[in-house]
Amino acid sequence: MAKLTKDELLAQFEEMTLIELAEFVSAFEEKFDVTAAAAAPVVMAGGVAGGAAAEAVEEKDEFDVILTAAGDKKIQVIKVVRELTSLGLKEAKDLVDGTPKPVLEKVAKDAADKAKEALEGAGASVEVK
């Protein structure tokens, strides 16, 4: 397999959605047993990650709220999802049934925290990325 240049890697990352990039960063962290914050010095020293870890380390101002599990109180979680989004009952139920799924994308930190708190209050498991 040919080695990709830094520019080729960056071009690949540009084509990814935020969720795909977050999944890549998680997989990278697991594979190399690092965290995004700890990976920054490795990247600066010419490490394996290219631009991926550097992008993940940058200060984020947009967050995704991802429902990872509905928990025991699925009906309450569906109600909260409907309150947070403009989804109808069927769409909200499908989202909750198809976890893990993003509930909100590219929202401010405080909105993401409020959504996480509301969903967890209803019994769901939530991740903010």
Side-chain angles (χ1 to χ4, degrees), residues 21-39:
L21 187 56
E23 289 171 352
F24 170 79
V25 170
S26 294
F28 181 88
E29 289 173 341
E30 286 178 27
K31 172 84 173 170
F32 296 102
D33 195 28
V34 295
T35 62

Side-chain angles (χ1 to χ4, degrees), residues 17-20 23 63-69 81 84-85 87 91-92 94-96 98-107 115 119 125-129:
T17 65
L18 286 176
I19 293 173
E20 291 170 334
E23 289 171 352
F63 296 85
D64 295 341
V65 179
I66 301 170
L67 181 66
T68 56
V81 167
L84 295 172
T85 64
L87 296 176
E91 291 84 5
D94 291 345
L95 186 145
V96 171
T99 57
K101 291 274 186 160
V103 176
L104 298 172
E105 294 179 311
K106 298 181 182 179
V107 296
L119 287 164
S125 297
V126 181
E127 243 180 59
V128 176
K129 292 185 179 184

